[in-house]
Amino acid sequence: QAWVHFVGTGTVVILDSVGVSSVTDIAQGEYRVNFSTPFSTPDFLTVCATELTAGGVANVRDCQRSGLEYDSASARLSVMNTASNLVDADRISFLVVGRR
């Protein structure tokens, strides 16, 4: 019900989205996705994937909603490599499904 595909390196650039107003770069490998319309609760399902382009980040292991901070209007996500270090990824896709 909301999704975003964005560049996660350098300045964050939204390539395409539905139901997402902005993406904030918090720190390396940490982003906040802000929804155009809040969900009814923060108990929504998320799916996250990364893509690598030429010269991109190697060994991306995990992309997930972070348990550190989330509410019905936004979700924080983390991208980690195989050594469990936070890393920026060239392209990130984030899908959210829940009740509005």
Side-chain angles (χ1 to χ4, degrees):
Q1 298 186 27
W3 60 266
V4 62
H5 183 69
F6 66 97
V7 175
T9 56
T11 301
V12 170
V13 176
I14 294 177
L15 301 172
D16 203 358
S17 69
V18 170
V20 171
S21 60
S22 64
V23 176
T24 305
D25 186 353
I26 299 170
Q28 182 165 327
E30 294 279 340
Y31 309 90
R32 175 165 301 285
V33 176
N34 301 295
F35 308 127
S36 303
T37 303
F39 287 85
S40 59
T41 72
D43 299 321
F44 42 77
L45 169 76
T46 62
V47 178
C48 189
T50 60
E51 298 174 26
L52 303 178
T53 60
V57 177
N59 300 319
V60 172
R61 174 187 66 85
D62 196 14
C63 180
Q64 65 186 5
R65 180 168 82 172
S66 172
L68 297 174
E69 298 176 30
Y70 60 91
D71 55 41
S72 58
S74 66
R76 184 168 171 163
L77 64 105
S78 302
V79 178
M80 289 176 270
N81 64 13
T82 54
S84 296
N85 297 317
L86 292 168
V87 293
D88 289 341
D90 293 331
R91 303 282 187 273
I92 301 170
S93 298
F94 190 61
L95 169 69
V96 181
V97 178
R99 297 184 191 274
R100 288 232 161 110

